[in-house]
């Protein structure tokens, strides 16, 4: 039965790829299942690829291959002299997708923008808690509820956003997936029908591809949006073939069952480069992998214990085993390719004997702890289980016993946020907007505790520095503040920084137009298949 099922699945994908004389189908062997299809509710790249970069658009977009913003659904904007008011002129004639489950009766207007922001901002908004247990993790973690003064409709095609204080990365933040613009008309219909949860299951936006259907943990189907404001795509149908095993993704790529795959095993890269039917893109990833201690739980509430454990980890061995040279050990919480990276900070040296003594001096004996290992490959950590096993062996050398635990990806992300979570969690981050704030405040600020701040670390000195940096408009001043914040981070050690990796994207030779993103996105607008 299993063989028959596999054969049928393979036949279905092959049929999809073959298409017909009048349609062109692109198959992406994605690495995992999305948590849902509402980008505001999540922070995982897997979810953003499946929703934000396919179905939706934003007021601003990132220029392909860069972290530079350009007009999106807003064709222009002005900023007041005091830096507190942003007025956006919306692009006229933008059409929402028509699907089997909804036919829009109007084009994009200011109501959609206000709805998309206020549902995440206002706790009394009817859509604020529409998903049980859901949270607007990015919106809250970046301090937007405290930043916004008002969101006003000037007229049908103009929106004014007022801030309580200056926010240097504000425009870049609006180009991020969480700020995707929804259809208020579609939401109103779902609310009237008592089907609000459908917004997170059957998405509808203004993006390049319209959602067709999702077979859980197997396949997501999309079709080109014929009236996309950026022009209809060259590929007619887009398929995400969910394939969690990197080796299987490679097999499918070689067999021509998919056109492009993410996150290859490091050991397979040379074979990919040698295959005449494939081509491989690579660039330095704007990323970091880390082990986040729960700094509210003893003994991890002691900085001496965290520093000792950091000294016990052989990061070079992890990089060698997991990445085979395609990564470097990390010192700071931001990557070396990012502006404001503090080159003067020295990393914790690997020294098991010193680590053992530090633990003894801290009064820690017979410590047992959990290390959480991600179940999926991410660019910053291709094999978390292997990394956890190496750390388990490292910690054993200093008398610390480790139990490795894991969960299904969506559950892993949710459970690891808990303020009373035990042990230390392996996670990482690929920058979403090219600004240091997106790492330092989003992952380590006090506002992000209980969300993206998996260390549950709220340090007043650090938080004041990153908040000041947000409010400063001068890049030199922001750089100085971020450099100081990195000093505090290294001194207090809420994480063990693990690695920064290369981002490697293999694809079939006949794929054209795919642009590798420094933000780690997989977006297929502009992509074509040529014979």
């Amino acid at each position: 039965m299993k063989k028959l099922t596999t054969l049928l699945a393979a036949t279905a994908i092959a049929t999809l790829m073959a298409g017909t004389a009048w349609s062109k189908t692109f198959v992406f062997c994605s690495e995992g299942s999305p948590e849902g299809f509402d980008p505001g509710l999540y922070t995982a790249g897997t979810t953003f690829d499946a929703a934000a970069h396919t179905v939706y658009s934003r007021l601003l977009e990132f220029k392909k291959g860069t972290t530079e913003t350009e007009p999106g659904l807003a064709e222009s904007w002005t900023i007041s002299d005091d830096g507190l008011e942003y007025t956006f002129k919306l692009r006229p004639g933008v059409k929402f997708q028509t699907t089997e489950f909804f036919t829009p009766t109007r084009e994009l207007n200011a109501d959609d923008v206000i709805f998309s922001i206020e549902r995440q901002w206002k706790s009394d908004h009817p859509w604020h808690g529409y998903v049980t247990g859901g949270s607007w993790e990015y919106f809250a973690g970046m301090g937007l509820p405290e930043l916004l003064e008002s969101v006003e409709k000037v007229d049908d095609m103009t929106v004014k956003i007022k801030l309580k204080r200056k926010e240097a990365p504000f425009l870049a933040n609006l180009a991020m997936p969480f700020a995707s613009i929804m259809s208020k008309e579609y939401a109103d219909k779902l609310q009237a029908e008592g089907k609000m949860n459908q917004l997170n299951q059957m998405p509808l936006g203004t993006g390049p591809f319209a959602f067709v259907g999702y077979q859980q943990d197997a396949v997501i189907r999309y079709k080109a949006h014929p009236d996309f404001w950026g022009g209809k795509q060259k590929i007619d149908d887009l398929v995400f073939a969910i394939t969690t095993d990197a080796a299987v993704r490679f097999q499918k790529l070689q067999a021509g069952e998919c056109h492009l795959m993410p996150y290859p095993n490091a050991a397979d890269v040379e074979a990919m480069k040698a295959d005449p039917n494939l081509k491989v893109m690579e660039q330095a990833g704007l990323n970091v992998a880390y082990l986040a201690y729960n700094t509210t739980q003893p003994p991890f509430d002691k900085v001496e214990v965290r520093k000792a454990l950091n000294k016990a980890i052989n990061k070079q061995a992890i990089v060698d085993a997991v990445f085979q040279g395609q990564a470097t050990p990390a010192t700071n919480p931001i990557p070396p390719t990012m502006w404001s990276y503090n080159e003067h900070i020295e990393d914790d040296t690997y020294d098991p004997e010193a680590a053992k003594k530090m633990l003894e001096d801290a009064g820690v004996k017979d410590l047992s702890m959990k290390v959480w290992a991600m179940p999926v490959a991410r660019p910053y950590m291709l094999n978390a289980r292997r990394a956890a096993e190496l750390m388990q062996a490292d910690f054993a050398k200093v008398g610390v016993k480790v139990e490795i635990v894991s969960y299904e990806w969506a559950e892993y992300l949710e459970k690891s946020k808990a303020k009373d979570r035990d042990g230390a969690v392996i996670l990482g981050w690929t920058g979403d907007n090219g600004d240091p704030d997106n790492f330092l405040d989003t992952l380590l600020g006090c506002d992000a505790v209980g969300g993206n701040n998996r260390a549950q670390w709220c340090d007043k000195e650090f938080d004041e520095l990153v908040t000041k940096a947000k409010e400063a408009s001068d890049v030199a001043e922001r750089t100085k503040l971020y450099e100081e914040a990195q000093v505090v981070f290294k001194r207090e050690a809420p994480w063990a920084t693990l690695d920064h990796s290369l981002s490697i994207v293999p694809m079939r030779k006949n794929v054209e137009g795919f642009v590798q993103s420094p933000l780690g996105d997989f977006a297929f607008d502009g992509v074509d298949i040529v014979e």
Side-chain angles (χ1 to χ4, degrees):
M1 178 61 91
K2 187 175 179 183
K3 284 185 180 177
L4 177 60
T5 304
T6 306
L7 178 63
L8 288 170
T11 303
I13 293 293
T15 303
L16 282 167
M17 289 191 70
T20 65
W22 57 87
S23 74
K24 195 177 282 189
T25 299
F26 187 96
V27 180
F28 171 53
C29 274
S30 65
E31 79 287 358
S33 302
E35 303 148 277
F37 289 92
D38 183 342
L41 290 167
Y42 308 105
T43 62
T46 308
T47 300
F48 293 159
D49 292 340
H53 304 310
T54 49
V55 177
Y56 292 107
S57 311
R58 289 141 291 281
L59 290 175
L60 287 81
E61 300 285 353
F62 290 110
K63 258 183 206 172
K64 286 279 187 185
T66 78
T67 57
E68 184 184 341
T69 56
E70 64 180 1
L73 296 178
E75 62 177 3
S76 65
W77 53 88
T78 56
I79 306 170
S80 62
D81 291 341
D82 62 6
L84 298 179
E85 290 187 9
Y86 292 72
T87 304
F88 297 92
K89 297 296 289 184
L90 301 184
R91 186 180 297 275
V94 173
K95 297 185 187 305
F96 285 97
Q97 297 139 1
T98 296
T99 65
E100 289 185 2
F101 50 87
F102 184 72
T103 301
T105 66
R106 63 166 177 81
E107 296 173 346
L108 173 85
N109 67 30
D111 295 333
D112 302 304
V113 176
I114 292 169
F115 167 77
S116 301
I117 296 171
E118 288 193 340
R119 71 196 189 105
Q120 301 187 56
W121 175 28
K122 298 189 172 181
S123 58
D124 60 351
H125 193 280
W127 283 88
H128 190 74
Y130 87 97
V131 172
T132 304
S135 64
W136 308 105
E137 192 172 335
Y138 241 136
F139 194 90
M142 294 170 72
L144 287 169
E146 294 75 38
L147 174 68
L148 295 181
E149 177 71 43
S150 64
V151 183
E152 301 170 7
K153 177 179 179 176
V154 178
D155 57 46
D156 273 355
M157 301 305 289
T158 312
V159 175
K160 182 180 285 187
I161 300 177
K162 294 182 181 178
L163 309 183
K164 292 178 181 174
R165 61 171 192 272
K166 287 184 180 179
E167 179 88 349
F170 184 63
L171 286 175
N173 291 347
L174 291 181
M176 288 167 54
F178 82 94
S180 295
I181 303 302
M182 324 290 281
S183 163
K184 184 178 186 298
E185 184 187 21
Y186 177 48
D188 287 346
K189 176 177 180 286
L190 293 178
Q191 186 177 353
E193 294 174 350
K195 298 177 180 176
M196 292 172 76
N197 211 47
Q198 194 169 301
L199 192 70
N200 193 33
Q201 298 165 352
M202 299 168 73
L204 183 134
T206 61
F209 297 97
F211 177 83
V212 175
Y214 173 40
Q215 185 181 341
Q216 189 158 352
D217 301 330
V219 65
I220 315 170
R221 292 182 174 84
Y222 310 86
K223 63 181 179 182
H225 176 19
D227 300 311
F228 175 49
W229 58 269
K232 183 184 179 298
Q233 298 306 300
K234 293 173 182 175
I235 51 179
D236 301 290
D237 298 289
L238 175 64
V239 176
F240 278 37
I242 297 164
T243 313
T244 55
D245 188 305
V248 177
R249 290 200 294 277
F250 181 27
Q251 289 168 8
K252 287 184 174 183
L253 189 68
Q254 282 184 307
E257 293 178 23
C258 58
H259 293 100
L260 186 147
M261 64 167 279
Y263 319 131
N265 284 328
D268 292 333
V269 173
E270 287 310 310
M272 291 171 172
K273 289 179 177 178
D275 189 325
N277 296 311
L278 304 180
K279 57 185 175 183
V280 179
M281 290 182 177
E282 61 181 62
Q283 64 181 19
L286 201 67
N287 61 39
V288 65
Y290 58 82
L291 179 75
Y293 306 106
N294 188 340
T295 60
T296 67
Q297 303 293 311
F300 310 110
D301 55 342
K302 293 183 177 180
V303 66
E304 318 90 271
V305 173
R306 302 194 297 267
K307 295 287 275 185
L309 291 172
N310 285 1
K311 274 188 169 293
I313 298 172
N314 186 344
K315 291 195 274 195
Q316 188 62 54
I318 292 173
V319 164
D320 291 343
V322 175
F323 293 95
Q324 301 191 12
Q326 293 157 20
T328 54
T331 298
N332 293 334
I334 64 174
T337 50
M338 176 167 269
W339 63 273
S340 84
Y341 181 85
N342 192 331
E343 296 178 355
H344 303 293
I345 290 175
E346 292 188 11
D347 200 9
D348 302 300
T349 52
Y350 171 55
D351 191 339
E353 287 306 312
K356 198 170 187 178
K357 185 175 186 311
M358 287 169 72
L359 288 172
E360 288 171 0
D361 291 348
V364 175
K365 294 180 181 178
D366 303 319
L367 175 61
S368 293
M369 64 181 286
K370 289 179 179 175
V371 169
W372 293 42
M374 302 182 308
V376 298
R378 305 302 301 152
Y380 47 75
M381 181 50 68
L382 296 177
N383 188 334
R385 169 66 64 169
R386 180 73 183 118
E389 289 168 353
L390 291 166
M391 282 188 265
Q392 185 180 46
D394 286 340
F395 286 157
K397 291 174 189 171
V398 300
V400 175
K401 186 178 179 182
V402 166
E403 177 192 354
I404 300 171
V405 298
S406 192
Y407 301 91
E408 182 271 326
W409 186 218
E411 188 179 7
Y412 185 94
L413 290 170
E414 190 58 37
K415 283 180 176 289
S416 63
K417 294 180 204 169
K419 292 183 181 180
D420 61 351
R421 186 205 73 235
D422 52 5
V425 60
I426 298 174
L427 257 177
W429 195 255
T430 298
D432 286 309
N433 64 9
D435 196 290
D437 175 78
N438 184 242
F439 284 78
L440 299 174
D441 188 44
T442 300
L443 301 179
L444 293 158
C446 292
D447 283 336
V449 168
N452 283 324
N453 187 340
R454 293 323 203 271
Q456 315 302 343
W457 181 66
C458 179
D459 182 276
K460 186 179 178 184
E461 183 184 359
F462 179 91
D463 210 59
E464 284 178 356
L465 286 166
V466 296
T467 300
K468 277 184 191 172
K470 271 195 211 212
E471 296 173 8
S473 52
D474 179 64
V475 173
E477 184 184 350
R478 295 188 74 206
T479 296
K480 184 173 177 291
L481 291 164
Y482 286 137
E483 286 176 346
E484 290 177 30
Q486 288 166 74
V487 172
V488 176
F489 166 88
K490 204 65 184 177
R491 185 187 75 215
E492 298 300 319
W495 297 350
T497 50
L498 299 177
D499 68 78
H500 307 293
S501 72
L502 282 176
S503 176
I504 296 171
V505 183
M507 66 197 77
R508 300 290 297 178
K509 264 270 170 64
N510 64 344
V511 174
E512 285 193 354
F514 179 82
V515 179
Q516 194 171 4
S517 168
L519 306 173
D521 305 333
F522 286 88
F524 300 103
D525 51 309
V527 173
D528 195 10
I529 310 162
V530 296
E531 296 307 328

